[in-house]
Amino acid sequence: MKSFTPIPLLLLTLGSAALTVRDVQDGQMGTLMVLPPRQTDTGTKPIPDPAHPYIAPGPNDQRGPCPAMNTLANHGYVSRNGITTFEEIIIGAQEAFNFDQSLIAAMIAPNFLAHGNVFVNKISIGGVSEFVPPLPYNIDGPATLGIAKHGRVEGDASLSRSDAFIGDNRNFNQTIWNMNLEEIAQFADDGPDGPGTVVNLQTLIEIKRQNFESDQALNPQFDLPIRRYNAIFAAPAVAVAVFSNGTTNQLTKNILNSFIEHQTFPKNWFRAAAPVLPATAGAINAQIAAGLPQIFPGHNDANGVFVADPPAPVPFNTSVACASYWDQIANGTPGSLANTTGILKQNVDLLTGIMFSGSKCTESVAPAGPTYV
Ligand code: HEM
Ligand SMILES: *[C@@H]1O[C@H](CO)[C@@H](O)[C@H](O)[C@H]1NC(C)=O
Ligand SMILES: *[C@@H]1O[C@H](CO)[C@@H](O)[C@H](O)[C@H]1NC(C)=O
Ligand SMILES: *[C@@H]1O[C@H](CO)[C@@H](O)[C@H](O)[C@H]1NC(C)=O
Ligand SMILES: *[C@@H]1O[C@H](CO)[C@@H](O)[C@H](O)[C@H]1NC(C)=O
């Protein structure tokens, strides 16, 4: 009889069907991530439905810097305790925001690689949780830190949170939000809710200019690597694409206040009329960035002067999308994830593959960022 080979990859392939048996690493049981199907009901409808009422989070529920994840959790579109999975986020975001699967998967992937447990398929939408163990053998430190951890994804010049160096990077900051409301009052269009209430492109540009200028001046460690440069325009772009009222296509001050300050769906709100695709959000992202040529990938130097970063290496310097992909994986994903086996490797490959296919790069890159950060 042949002796048993102790390879940790325990996957039997039976024709096209793969039967996962068991993959235990460091006492944890791995769970294979699988892209759920696209939803078939793709039109607008009122959200939330009666099965998803707002319930304020309890003291042990995780909440963090993403107003959309907090909203999904406050309504039970993902687990109300703030500990969720790859599949649960995709299903919840398809249902509540009419996200196309490819866009929401691309938003989840860098976060899961950065601060989730990719082996057991669990992530905290806030900070450290007893329900999300460290990666097997502590290959990225003794705890899995959650999406609020500053550095790999969470960063400076946010819409509604402080820079980590200045203050609280996790919870809503009224002072910052009031500065955005002033830009809205000045630049937004008139609409059914009154004068200066319908957010347009110029309003978003002025808000991001204001966020950048204020944090660059206040934060001696202000840092905008290219992955973050891309993200500060992606956040408002995604907000326009999915927070806008699906029946009017308008993003109003009232809607923004509801999602970002109160982390709940607005009254009488309708999700988008058609699935929101990466290209839709990408086009708005590019328009906001084009309105702000004074902002570029860079960081504050020792004298508090904002200086440009060196460009991404060849062949990753061809576009912002490709350079951001390179930066996120080479610098914002723990290098220990390049050396994995079994279900852990399969999940890492799924997530890095999702990022590569959205990147417009000609070459892929392996995780190479610092660990234990
Ligand atoms: C469900 C659809 C989503 C939408 C509409 C959305 C939207 C947003 C917006 C508008 C912000 C900006 C907040 C600010 O700058 O103050 C933000 C921040 C953030 N989101 Fe999401 N997001 C979504 C999904 C996700 C997912 C799936 C994750 C991770 C699992 C995530 C992680 C984050 C993080 C870490 C931040 C903080 C970034 C920062 O430092 O500003 N988001 N998101
Ligand atoms: C809120 O933002 C203001 C302006 O940047 C800052 O001075 C203050 O410290 C922040 N508050 C918290 C709790 O982070
Ligand atoms: C969305 O549009 C509908 C139809 O015009 C309107 O009745 C509803 O009040 C709007 N909702 C919000 C939150 O603006
Ligand atoms: C990328 O960098 C190389 C080497 O510095 C340079 O020759 C090339 O023009 C750059 N490509 C772009 C699109 O900037
Ligand atoms: C890969 O991981 C194994 C097991 O954890 C370890 O023994 C080995 O040194 C690692 N190799 C590299 C190149 O990090």
Side-chain angles (χ1 to χ4, degrees):
M1 205 163 93
K2 268 186 80 177
S3 70
F4 180 71
T5 317
I7 43 165
L9 175 62
L10 296 165
L11 198 79
L12 307 179
T13 306
L14 307 167
S16 63
L19 172 64
T20 306
V21 182
R22 231 168 105 83
D23 181 1
V24 177
Q25 299 190 26
D26 197 17
Q28 297 175 24
M29 173 77 83
T31 298
L32 197 63
M33 294 176 172
V34 179
L35 264 177
R38 286 191 155 82
Q39 64 181 347
T40 49
D41 166 21
T42 57
T44 186
K45 58 180 173 183
I47 298 287
D49 63 20
H52 294 93
Y54 176 85
I55 302 174
N60 299 320
D61 295 333
Q62 294 289 332
R63 295 293 183 269
C66 180
M69 291 311 301
N70 294 345
T71 299
L72 292 177
N74 288 341
H75 287 267
Y77 283 103
V78 300
S79 303
R80 291 185 185 268
N81 71 357
I83 308 305
T84 182
T85 68
F86 179 70
E87 291 81 358
E88 190 181 60
I89 300 171
I90 293 180
I91 292 166
Q94 288 190 146
E95 166 72 10
F97 288 121
N98 211 357
F99 262 93
D100 182 71
Q101 185 204 73
S102 56
L103 178 55
I104 188 65
M107 291 168 68
I108 298 170
N111 282 285
F112 233 114
L113 291 165
H115 286 305
N117 183 320
V118 199
F119 183 55
V120 301
N121 187 11
K122 285 192 179 149
I123 190 166
S124 160
I125 66 168
V128 175
S129 162
E130 60 178 308
F131 302 117
V132 186
L135 283 167
Y137 305 105
N138 291 1
I139 58 173
D140 187 34
T144 292
L145 299 176
I147 73 169
K149 175 64 183 171
H150 174 72
R152 289 174 175 166
V153 176
E154 199 288 324
D156 297 339
S158 304
L159 281 172
S160 66
R161 268 64 173 173
S162 277
D163 289 6
F165 184 83
I166 296 171
D168 179 358
N169 69 322
R170 183 164 165 176
N171 297 294
F172 176 78
N173 181 313
Q174 189 70 59
T175 310
I176 293 175
W177 193 241
N178 286 344
M179 296 192 284
N180 296 337
L181 292 178
E182 284 175 30
E183 305 297 341
I184 291 176
Q186 198 177 339
F187 293 100
D189 294 327
D190 302 345
D193 296 349
T197 56
V198 179
V199 172
N200 52 26
L201 177 63
Q202 192 61 32
T203 311
L204 298 171
I205 291 170
E206 299 298 338
I207 285 175
K208 287 322 294 180
R209 179 190 52 72
Q210 149 67 39
N211 296 158
F212 170 84
E213 284 174 3
S214 124
D215 287 345
Q216 189 277 325
L218 285 171
N219 177 359
Q221 293 182 6
F222 185 76
D223 195 18
L224 207 65
I226 193 156
R227 63 181 187 275
R228 183 63 193 158
Y229 166 82
N230 188 50
I232 63 167
F233 306 125
V238 168
V240 176
V242 305
F243 292 165
S244 291
N245 192 355
T247 53
T248 59
N249 235 358
Q250 287 181 340
L251 178 63
T252 63
K253 178 174 84 171
N254 171 48
I255 292 174
L256 268 182
N257 277 335
S258 181
F259 281 118
I260 296 190
E261 177 172 359
H262 304 296
Q263 312 189 129
T264 184
F265 292 96
K267 279 215 162 49
N268 298 319
W269 183 81
F270 294 77
R271 70 174 200 183
V276 178
L277 297 160
T280 309
I284 306 168
N285 180 333
Q287 287 177 311
I288 302 171
L292 292 162
Q294 70 273 38
I295 306 181
F296 43 81
H299 60 277
N300 274 0
D301 71 9
N303 300 314
V305 178
F306 188 67
V307 295
D309 288 340
V314 178
F316 304 108
N317 63 341
T318 49
S319 66
V320 172
C322 178
S324 301
Y325 157 82
W326 162 79
D327 186 29
Q328 190 67 52
I329 296 197
N331 300 312
T333 301
S336 49
L337 290 182
N339 177 25
T340 55
T341 57
I343 284 176
L344 181 52
K345 176 169 166 48
Q346 286 183 280
N347 287 347
V348 169
D349 288 350
L350 174 74
L351 298 177
T352 54
I354 287 167
M355 291 168 69
F356 178 59
S357 63
S359 73
K360 304 185 170 79
C361 287
T362 54
E363 229 176 76
S364 65
V365 64
T371 53
Y372 286 64
V373 294

